[in-house]
PDB file of all heavy atoms in Angstrom:
ATOM      1  N   LYS A1259      10.802  61.031 -31.424  1.00  0.00           N
ATOM      2  CA  LYS A1259      10.125  59.783 -31.733  1.00  0.00           C
ATOM      3  C   LYS A1259       9.025  60.029 -32.751  1.00  0.00           C
ATOM      4  O   LYS A1259       8.616  61.185 -32.998  1.00  0.00           O
ATOM      5  CB  LYS A1259       9.526  59.141 -30.476  1.00  0.00           C
ATOM      6  CG  LYS A1259       8.289  59.841 -29.945  1.00  0.00           C
ATOM      7  CD  LYS A1259       7.528  58.958 -28.960  1.00  0.00           C
ATOM      8  CE  LYS A1259       6.945  57.750 -29.632  1.00  0.00           C
ATOM      9  NZ  LYS A1259       6.182  56.873 -28.725  1.00  0.00           N
ATOM     10  N   ALA A1260       8.549  58.939 -33.327  1.00  0.00           N
ATOM     11  CA  ALA A1260       7.321  58.938 -34.118  1.00  0.00           C
ATOM     12  C   ALA A1260       6.438  57.841 -33.543  1.00  0.00           C
ATOM     13  O   ALA A1260       6.930  56.779 -33.156  1.00  0.00           O
ATOM     14  CB  ALA A1260       7.625  58.679 -35.588  1.00  0.00           C
ATOM     15  N   PRO A1261       5.128  58.086 -33.439  1.00  0.00           N
ATOM     16  CA  PRO A1261       4.270  57.122 -32.763  1.00  0.00           C
ATOM     17  C   PRO A1261       4.021  55.858 -33.595  1.00  0.00           C
ATOM     18  O   PRO A1261       3.979  55.890 -34.828  1.00  0.00           O
ATOM     19  CB  PRO A1261       2.961  57.895 -32.554  1.00  0.00           C
ATOM     20  CG  PRO A1261       2.981  58.953 -33.599  1.00  0.00           C
ATOM     21  CD  PRO A1261       4.413  59.307 -33.812  1.00  0.00           C
ATOM     22  N   ALA A1262       3.869  54.747 -32.872  1.00  0.00           N
ATOM     23  CA  ALA A1262       3.475  53.489 -33.501  1.00  0.00           C
ATOM     24  C   ALA A1262       1.969  53.490 -33.737  1.00  0.00           C
ATOM     25  O   ALA A1262       1.268  54.433 -33.357  1.00  0.00           O
ATOM     26  CB  ALA A1262       3.883  52.316 -32.624  1.00  0.00           C
ATOM     27  N   GLU A1263       1.468  52.428 -34.334  1.00  0.00           N
ATOM     28  CA  GLU A1263       0.026  52.339 -34.636  1.00  0.00           C
ATOM     29  C   GLU A1263      -0.825  52.499 -33.380  1.00  0.00           C
ATOM     30  O   GLU A1263      -1.884  53.111 -33.407  1.00  0.00           O
ATOM     31  CB  GLU A1263      -0.288  51.004 -35.317  1.00  0.00           C
ATOM     32  CG  GLU A1263       0.080  50.950 -36.786  1.00  0.00           C
ATOM     33  CD  GLU A1263      -0.707  51.928 -37.624  1.00  0.00           C
ATOM     34  OE1 GLU A1263      -1.920  52.083 -37.379  1.00  0.00           O
ATOM     35  OE2 GLU A1263      -0.115  52.564 -38.523  1.00  0.00           O
ATOM     36  N   HIS A1264      -0.366  51.927 -32.257  1.00  0.00           N
ATOM     37  CA  HIS A1264      -1.173  51.928 -31.037  1.00  0.00           C
ATOM     38  C   HIS A1264      -0.941  53.157 -30.167  1.00  0.00           C
ATOM     39  O   HIS A1264      -1.507  53.252 -29.075  1.00  0.00           O
ATOM     40  CB  HIS A1264      -0.874  50.664 -30.230  1.00  0.00           C
ATOM     41  CG  HIS A1264       0.558  50.586 -29.757  1.00  0.00           C
ATOM     42  ND1 HIS A1264       1.585  50.183 -30.583  1.00  0.00           N
ATOM     43  CD2 HIS A1264       1.135  50.895 -28.543  1.00  0.00           C
ATOM     44  CE1 HIS A1264       2.721  50.227 -29.916  1.00  0.00           C
ATOM     45  NE2 HIS A1264       2.482  50.646 -28.684  1.00  0.00           N
ATOM     46  N   GLU A1265      -0.111  54.076 -30.611  1.00  0.00           N
ATOM     47  CA  GLU A1265       0.271  55.220 -29.783  1.00  0.00           C
ATOM     48  C   GLU A1265      -0.256  56.530 -30.385  1.00  0.00           C
ATOM     49  O   GLU A1265      -0.446  56.632 -31.591  1.00  0.00           O
ATOM     50  CB  GLU A1265       1.806  55.318 -29.679  1.00  0.00           C
ATOM     51  CG  GLU A1265       2.469  54.209 -28.940  1.00  0.00           C
ATOM     52  CD  GLU A1265       3.974  54.430 -28.910  1.00  0.00           C
ATOM     53  OE1 GLU A1265       4.549  54.815 -29.960  1.00  0.00           O
ATOM     54  OE2 GLU A1265       4.579  54.194 -27.852  1.00  0.00           O
ATOM     55  N   PRO A1266      -0.348  57.543 -29.502  1.00  0.00           N
ATOM     56  CA  PRO A1266      -0.330  57.479 -28.041  1.00  0.00           C
ATOM     57  C   PRO A1266      -1.760  57.257 -27.525  1.00  0.00           C
ATOM     58  O   PRO A1266      -2.714  57.742 -28.120  1.00  0.00           O
ATOM     59  CB  PRO A1266       0.163  58.889 -27.647  1.00  0.00           C
ATOM     60  CG  PRO A1266      -0.311  59.776 -28.751  1.00  0.00           C
ATOM     61  CD  PRO A1266      -0.310  58.930 -30.014  1.00  0.00           C
ATOM     62  N   PRO A1267      -1.903  56.483 -26.452  1.00  0.00           N
ATOM     63  CA  PRO A1267      -3.238  56.280 -25.870  1.00  0.00           C
ATOM     64  C   PRO A1267      -3.681  57.480 -25.047  1.00  0.00           C
ATOM     65  O   PRO A1267      -3.434  57.572 -23.848  1.00  0.00           O
ATOM     66  CB  PRO A1267      -3.044  55.031 -24.992  1.00  0.00           C
ATOM     67  CG  PRO A1267      -1.585  55.037 -24.646  1.00  0.00           C
ATOM     68  CD  PRO A1267      -0.864  55.702 -25.759  1.00  0.00           C
ATOM     69  N   ILE A1268      -4.329  58.434 -25.709  1.00  0.00           N
ATOM     70  CA  ILE A1268      -4.782  59.666 -25.047  1.00  0.00           C
ATOM     71  C   ILE A1268      -6.280  59.580 -24.812  1.00  0.00           C
ATOM     72  O   ILE A1268      -7.066  59.452 -25.762  1.00  0.00           O
ATOM     73  CB  ILE A1268      -4.462  60.900 -25.922  1.00  0.00           C
ATOM     74  CG1 ILE A1268      -2.970  61.035 -26.143  1.00  0.00           C
ATOM     75  CG2 ILE A1268      -5.017  62.173 -25.277  1.00  0.00           C
ATOM     76  CD1 ILE A1268      -2.573  62.166 -27.080  1.00  0.00           C
ATOM     77  N   PRO A1269      -6.742  59.627 -23.565  1.00  0.00           N
ATOM     78  CA  PRO A1269      -8.176  59.546 -23.293  1.00  0.00           C
ATOM     79  C   PRO A1269      -8.932  60.738 -23.882  1.00  0.00           C
ATOM     80  O   PRO A1269      -8.397  61.845 -23.976  1.00  0.00           O
ATOM     81  CB  PRO A1269      -8.248  59.548 -21.763  1.00  0.00           C
ATOM     82  CG  PRO A1269      -6.889  59.127 -21.302  1.00  0.00           C
ATOM     83  CD  PRO A1269      -5.946  59.654 -22.326  1.00  0.00           C
ATOM     84  N   GLU A1270     -10.175  60.517 -24.252  1.00  0.00           N
ATOM     85  CA  GLU A1270     -10.990  61.576 -24.870  1.00  0.00           C
ATOM     86  C   GLU A1270     -11.287  62.720 -23.916  1.00  0.00           C
ATOM     87  O   GLU A1270     -11.589  63.832 -24.359  1.00  0.00           O
ATOM     88  CB  GLU A1270     -12.302  60.992 -25.392  1.00  0.00           C
ATOM     89  CG  GLU A1270     -12.188  60.330 -26.752  1.00  0.00           C
ATOM     90  CD  GLU A1270     -11.804  61.323 -27.843  1.00  0.00           C
ATOM     91  OE1 GLU A1270     -12.335  62.449 -27.838  1.00  0.00           O
ATOM     92  OE2 GLU A1270     -10.978  60.970 -28.688  1.00  0.00           O
ATOM     93  N   PHE A1271     -11.230  62.477 -22.605  1.00  0.00           N
ATOM     94  CA  PHE A1271     -11.560  63.546 -21.663  1.00  0.00           C
ATOM     95  C   PHE A1271     -10.434  64.590 -21.522  1.00  0.00           C
ATOM     96  O   PHE A1271     -10.638  65.626 -20.887  1.00  0.00           O
ATOM     97  CB  PHE A1271     -11.904  62.973 -20.277  1.00  0.00           C
ATOM     98  CG  PHE A1271     -10.767  62.249 -19.600  1.00  0.00           C
ATOM     99  CD1 PHE A1271      -9.729  62.945 -18.993  1.00  0.00           C
ATOM    100  CD2 PHE A1271     -10.750  60.852 -19.548  1.00  0.00           C
ATOM    101  CE1 PHE A1271      -8.696  62.280 -18.353  1.00  0.00           C
ATOM    102  CE2 PHE A1271      -9.716  60.179 -18.917  1.00  0.00           C
ATOM    103  CZ  PHE A1271      -8.687  60.895 -18.324  1.00  0.00           C
ATOM    104  N   VAL A1272      -9.297  64.338 -22.089  1.00  0.00           N
ATOM    105  CA  VAL A1272      -8.151  65.248 -21.953  1.00  0.00           C
ATOM    106  C   VAL A1272      -8.464  66.592 -22.591  1.00  0.00           C
ATOM    107  O   VAL A1272      -8.990  66.651 -23.708  1.00  0.00           O
ATOM    108  CB  VAL A1272      -6.899  64.612 -22.593  1.00  0.00           C
ATOM    109  CG1 VAL A1272      -5.817  65.641 -22.853  1.00  0.00           C
ATOM    110  CG2 VAL A1272      -6.378  63.488 -21.717  1.00  0.00           C
ATOM    111  N   ASP A1273      -8.166  67.687 -21.881  1.00  0.00           N
ATOM    112  CA  ASP A1273      -8.408  69.012 -22.434  1.00  0.00           C
ATOM    113  C   ASP A1273      -7.131  69.730 -22.885  1.00  0.00           C
ATOM    114  O   ASP A1273      -7.195  70.789 -23.498  1.00  0.00           O
ATOM    115  CB  ASP A1273      -9.174  69.899 -21.445  1.00  0.00           C
ATOM    116  CG  ASP A1273      -8.479  70.074 -20.111  1.00  0.00           C
ATOM    117  OD1 ASP A1273      -7.234  70.179 -20.085  1.00  0.00           O
ATOM    118  OD2 ASP A1273      -9.177  70.115 -19.066  1.00  0.00           O
ATOM    119  N   THR A1274      -5.955  69.172 -22.563  1.00  0.00           N
ATOM    120  CA  THR A1274      -4.679  69.751 -22.976  1.00  0.00           C
ATOM    121  C   THR A1274      -3.708  68.625 -23.334  1.00  0.00           C
ATOM    122  O   THR A1274      -3.539  67.683 -22.552  1.00  0.00           O
ATOM    123  CB  THR A1274      -4.073  70.598 -21.836  1.00  0.00           C
ATOM    124  OG1 THR A1274      -4.996  71.620 -21.441  1.00  0.00           O
ATOM    125  CG2 THR A1274      -2.770  71.250 -22.292  1.00  0.00           C
ATOM    126  N   VAL A1275      -3.088  68.724 -24.504  1.00  0.00           N
ATOM    127  CA  VAL A1275      -2.086  67.759 -24.916  1.00  0.00           C
ATOM    128  C   VAL A1275      -0.753  68.495 -25.086  1.00  0.00           C
ATOM    129  O   VAL A1275      -0.668  69.493 -25.813  1.00  0.00           O
ATOM    130  CB  VAL A1275      -2.467  67.038 -26.210  1.00  0.00           C
ATOM    131  CG1 VAL A1275      -1.314  66.135 -26.674  1.00  0.00           C
ATOM    132  CG2 VAL A1275      -3.724  66.214 -26.020  1.00  0.00           C
ATOM    133  N   ILE A1276       0.275  67.997 -24.407  1.00  0.00           N
ATOM    134  CA  ILE A1276       1.619  68.565 -24.508  1.00  0.00           C
ATOM    135  C   ILE A1276       2.486  67.561 -25.255  1.00  0.00           C
ATOM    136  O   ILE A1276       2.631  66.421 -24.835  1.00  0.00           O
ATOM    137  CB  ILE A1276       2.210  68.832 -23.118  1.00  0.00           C
ATOM    138  CG1 ILE A1276       1.318  69.799 -22.326  1.00  0.00           C
ATOM    139  CG2 ILE A1276       3.633  69.384 -23.223  1.00  0.00           C
ATOM    140  CD1 ILE A1276       1.690  69.907 -20.854  1.00  0.00           C
ATOM    141  N   TYR A1277       3.021  67.982 -26.411  1.00  0.00           N
ATOM    142  CA  TYR A1277       3.916  67.104 -27.162  1.00  0.00           C
ATOM    143  C   TYR A1277       5.338  67.603 -26.952  1.00  0.00           C
ATOM    144  O   TYR A1277       5.668  68.746 -27.283  1.00  0.00           O
ATOM    145  CB  TYR A1277       3.562  67.102 -28.648  1.00  0.00           C
ATOM    146  CG  TYR A1277       4.184  65.927 -29.378  1.00  0.00           C
ATOM    147  CD1 TYR A1277       3.500  64.723 -29.516  1.00  0.00           C
ATOM    148  CD2 TYR A1277       5.462  66.011 -29.903  1.00  0.00           C
ATOM    149  CE1 TYR A1277       4.071  63.643 -30.161  1.00  0.00           C
ATOM    150  CE2 TYR A1277       6.047  64.925 -30.553  1.00  0.00           C
ATOM    151  CZ  TYR A1277       5.342  63.740 -30.673  1.00  0.00           C
ATOM    152  OH  TYR A1277       5.921  62.661 -31.298  1.00  0.00           O
ATOM    153  N   VAL A1278       6.189  66.729 -26.404  1.00  0.00           N
ATOM    154  CA  VAL A1278       7.533  67.100 -26.006  1.00  0.00           C
ATOM    155  C   VAL A1278       8.526  66.702 -27.092  1.00  0.00           C
ATOM    156  O   VAL A1278       8.485  65.596 -27.641  1.00  0.00           O
ATOM    157  CB  VAL A1278       7.922  66.437 -24.667  1.00  0.00           C
ATOM    158  CG1 VAL A1278       9.295  66.946 -24.204  1.00  0.00           C
ATOM    159  CG2 VAL A1278       6.862  66.723 -23.611  1.00  0.00           C
ATOM    160  N   VAL A1279       9.440  67.622 -27.391  1.00  0.00           N
ATOM    161  CA  VAL A1279      10.532  67.371 -28.333  1.00  0.00           C
ATOM    162  C   VAL A1279      11.840  67.668 -27.633  1.00  0.00           C
ATOM    163  O   VAL A1279      11.991  68.719 -26.990  1.00  0.00           O
ATOM    164  CB  VAL A1279      10.388  68.293 -29.577  1.00  0.00           C
ATOM    165  CG1 VAL A1279      11.652  68.253 -30.430  1.00  0.00           C
ATOM    166  CG2 VAL A1279       9.173  67.883 -30.399  1.00  0.00           C
ATOM    167  N   GLY A1280      12.806  66.782 -27.763  1.00  0.00           N
ATOM    168  CA  GLY A1280      14.144  67.021 -27.226  1.00  0.00           C
ATOM    169  C   GLY A1280      15.039  67.646 -28.295  1.00  0.00           C
ATOM    170  O   GLY A1280      15.370  66.993 -29.304  1.00  0.00           O
ATOM    171  N   LEU A1281      15.383  68.918 -28.105  1.00  0.00           N
ATOM    172  CA  LEU A1281      16.172  69.617 -29.131  1.00  0.00           C
ATOM    173  C   LEU A1281      17.606  69.116 -29.233  1.00  0.00           C
ATOM    174  O   LEU A1281      18.322  69.493 -30.173  1.00  0.00           O
ATOM    175  CB  LEU A1281      16.155  71.114 -28.856  1.00  0.00           C
ATOM    176  CG  LEU A1281      14.787  71.812 -29.001  1.00  0.00           C
ATOM    177  CD1 LEU A1281      14.932  73.305 -28.796  1.00  0.00           C
ATOM    178  CD2 LEU A1281      14.167  71.518 -30.358  1.00  0.00           C
ATOM    179  N   SER A1282      18.027  68.251 -28.317  1.00  0.00           N
ATOM    180  CA  SER A1282      19.373  67.672 -28.451  1.00  0.00           C
ATOM    181  C   SER A1282      19.459  66.787 -29.697  1.00  0.00           C
ATOM    182  O   SER A1282      20.552  66.451 -30.159  1.00  0.00           O
ATOM    183  CB  SER A1282      19.727  66.838 -27.207  1.00  0.00           C
ATOM    184  OG  SER A1282      18.850  65.735 -27.069  1.00  0.00           O
ATOM    185  N   GLY A1283      18.296  66.422 -30.274  1.00  0.00           N
ATOM    186  CA  GLY A1283      18.293  65.637 -31.503  1.00  0.00           C
ATOM    187  C   GLY A1283      18.576  66.448 -32.752  1.00  0.00           C
ATOM    188  O   GLY A1283      18.868  65.882 -33.806  1.00  0.00           O
ATOM    189  N   LEU A1284      18.497  67.784 -32.658  1.00  0.00           N
ATOM    190  CA  LEU A1284      18.774  68.619 -33.816  1.00  0.00           C
ATOM    191  C   LEU A1284      20.200  68.433 -34.312  1.00  0.00           C
ATOM    192  O   LEU A1284      21.147  68.448 -33.509  1.00  0.00           O
ATOM    193  CB  LEU A1284      18.526  70.091 -33.495  1.00  0.00           C
ATOM    194  CG  LEU A1284      17.109  70.625 -33.661  1.00  0.00           C
ATOM    195  CD1 LEU A1284      17.030  72.048 -33.138  1.00  0.00           C
ATOM    196  CD2 LEU A1284      16.672  70.563 -35.120  1.00  0.00           C
ATOM    197  N   GLY A1285      20.346  68.301 -35.610  1.00  0.00           N
ATOM    198  CA  GLY A1285      21.684  68.142 -36.199  1.00  0.00           C
ATOM    199  C   GLY A1285      22.236  66.732 -36.118  1.00  0.00           C
ATOM    200  O   GLY A1285      23.275  66.444 -36.722  1.00  0.00           O
TER     201      GLY A1285
END
């Protein structure tokens, strides 16, 4: 995916961000 203007709503207190990619999309 690619985020929309309003995404992602991540609170400022977060100390770790995990961005997930599905490799089934490759190719």
Side-chain angles (χ1 to χ4, degrees):
K1259 74 164 294 181
E1263 282 296 319
H1264 62 281
E1265 293 180 317
I1268 299 176
E1270 277 297 319
F1271 63 77
V1272 163
D1273 57 38
T1274 303
V1275 174
I1276 301 169
Y1277 196 91
V1278 185
V1279 168
L1281 294 184
S1282 63
L1284 273 174

